[in-house]
Amino acid sequence: MDSTANSPRAAGRRLAPLFHAATSATFFAASSAPTPLYRIYQQVFAFSPVLITVIFAVYAFALLISLLIVGSISDHLGRRPVIFASLILNMVAMALFLMADGPNWLIAARIVQGFATGAAASSIGAALVDLDPIKGSITNSLAPLTGMAIGALGTSLLVQFAPTPTLLVYIVMLALLALQAVLLWLVPETTRRRSGLLASLKPEVAVPQQVRRTLLALTPINVAVWALGGFYLSLVPSLVSATTGSTAPLVGGSVVAALTISGAAAVFLLRKRSAATAMTLGIPSMTLGILTVIAGVHAAQVSILALGTLIAGAGFGATFLGTVRSIMPLAKPDERAGLLSAFYIQSYLAFSLPAILAGFLSKAVGFTATTDIYAAAILALIICGVLALKAGREKVTASA
């Protein structure tokens, strides 16, 4: 019998994909953990919905900057050192949350958390692909959505049933991150160090000529997808409370989790389908879901709102998957990093800026009117995207 098969190194190699998937999910769970707490922070620190969306948005900006600057640093330093540094940095963010006595602390914590998550997402994602390119790519799509659902739902449970929720949530996250920082060194490194570290810190942003028409046509739909996600992760718990009268934290957190759970399910179910199939299923689902959410808001019914969220979430996941699969294969291998950076910029700006605008609107006209306006804008973007895709297909057919 081969004793090496049962050695710690062999065990580490077998468990590495599971460990990296769990670590990725933990980072994104930590990112959504503050969402159910925003309404509590708003009451305790007496700030407006605008500031809630700013606290949310700075995370997205920091994550984007991190992806652009240190997104490929693990190619040169190795995966484990960068993942370890990201874990430590996220632990610092949890400590800042624990010490928070005002919105400035929350903003600082979200900035640190965003930078840590960006570095972790790129290095852990690369490690998963190193281990298995096919399964790794699927895991990279599923782990963030699953993690965000766990974070929103887990925090809601702690807020509803446990004492001192604004402390306990971050203590739990801090313990998980510390455990993963220790276990990290039991899994193998998946790449070799190489030169060019300083050059890798220069952001590479470029859209290849052959991708531009497709990306331009998909831009309205991609913006709609990410704007929907930003709205849910910033304002939906407050929206649920304001429009339905339900003050139970678990209700608002469950609605947020429903979006990412159904999104993850759609990605998993459609993982072997073509981009066209994903888009064909995703766009109508997102449209129907948004209309159902609006109905739930006006009827003040959580059940209708949750149903609409599940439908919209399935469209969210399917459309995101279809968008990525539509553009990435068009780029040559040496063009993909620049294209992905451009896609990240577009996506995270759509994730954050509309949410800030929604914060201003909710202060001026209330949550119901804000939801109506926001939904109308998303639906208008979807219609523009569908028309652009149709025009592009007709142009290709005419020139064939």
Side-chain angles (χ1 to χ4, degrees), residues 28 56 140-149 221-233 255-268 270 275 278-290 293 307-325 343 347-348 350-352 374 378 382:
F28 284 95
F56 162 77
N140 281 330
S141 298
L142 293 175
L145 292 171
T146 305
M148 284 190 283
I221 293 173
N222 189 51
V223 170
V225 168
W226 285 81
L228 179 66
F231 184 77
Y232 264 79
L233 286 166
V255 172
V256 174
L259 183 83
T260 53
I261 288 172
S262 58
V267 170
F268 180 76
L270 296 172
M279 297 293 285
T280 300
L281 294 173
I283 292 172
S285 296
M286 196 160 75
T287 303
L288 176 61
I290 290 169
V293 167
L307 174 63
T309 300
L310 286 169
I311 299 170
F316 172 91
T319 307
F320 171 69
L321 180 67
T323 301
V324 173
R325 286 190 171 173
F343 181 73
S347 301
Y348 279 99
F351 191 56
S352 53
Y374 204 94
I378 289 177
I382 291 173

Side-chain angles (χ1 to χ4, degrees), residues 148-393:
M148 284 190 283
I150 292 170
L153 199 56
T155 300
S156 299
L157 286 167
L158 292 177
V159 171
Q160 183 124 8
F161 300 113
T164 59
T166 56
L167 299 179
L168 186 58
V169 170
Y170 303 117
I171 291 171
V172 171
M173 295 308 309
L174 193 58
L176 283 173
L177 293 166
L179 177 63
Q180 287 170 345
V182 173
L183 295 178
L184 172 65
W185 302 103
L186 300 179
V187 300
E189 177 60 74
T190 60
T191 191
R192 294 181 179 180
R193 294 188 180 192
R194 66 174 195 247
S195 60
L197 174 62
L198 293 179
S200 74
L201 299 177
K202 182 181 178 181
E204 180 187 354
V205 182
V207 180
Q209 182 69 37
Q210 71 274 17
V211 185
R212 291 175 187 174
R213 180 181 295 171
T214 302
L215 180 60
L216 184 62
L218 287 169
T219 289
I221 293 173
N222 189 51
V223 170
V225 168
W226 285 81
L228 179 66
F231 184 77
Y232 264 79
L233 286 166
S234 59
L235 288 177
V236 159
S238 298
L239 166 71
V240 171
S241 176
T243 57
T244 69
S246 174
T247 57
L250 185 57
V251 173
S254 297
V255 172
V256 174
L259 183 83
T260 53
I261 288 172
S262 58
V267 170
F268 180 76
L269 293 172
L270 296 172
R271 66 192 185 280
K272 295 181 180 179
R273 300 297 183 90
S274 67
T277 299
M279 297 293 285
T280 300
L281 294 173
I283 292 172
S285 296
M286 196 160 75
T287 303
L288 176 61
I290 290 169
L291 292 173
T292 307
V293 167
I294 292 298
V297 168
H298 284 275
Q301 292 293 323
V302 174
S303 57
I304 299 174
L305 217 165
L307 174 63
T309 300
L310 286 169
I311 299 170
F316 172 91
T319 307
F320 171 69
L321 180 67
T323 301
V324 173
R325 286 190 171 173
S326 295
I327 62 170
M328 293 310 294
L330 300 177
K332 299 173 184 176
D334 61 344
E335 296 173 333
R336 287 173 190 160
L339 174 59
L340 199 57
S341 295
F343 181 73
Y344 279 139
I345 290 173
Q346 181 188 93
S347 301
Y348 279 99
L349 288 178
F351 191 56
S352 53
L353 293 180
I356 294 175
L357 179 59
F360 280 103
L361 277 173
S362 62
K363 183 179 180 181
V365 300
F367 282 106
T368 299
T370 297
T371 305
D372 289 342
I373 295 168
Y374 204 94
I378 289 177
L379 292 173
L381 285 167
I382 291 173
I383 292 170
C384 290
V386 169
L387 293 175
L389 287 172
K390 183 179 179 182
R393 284 195 294 267

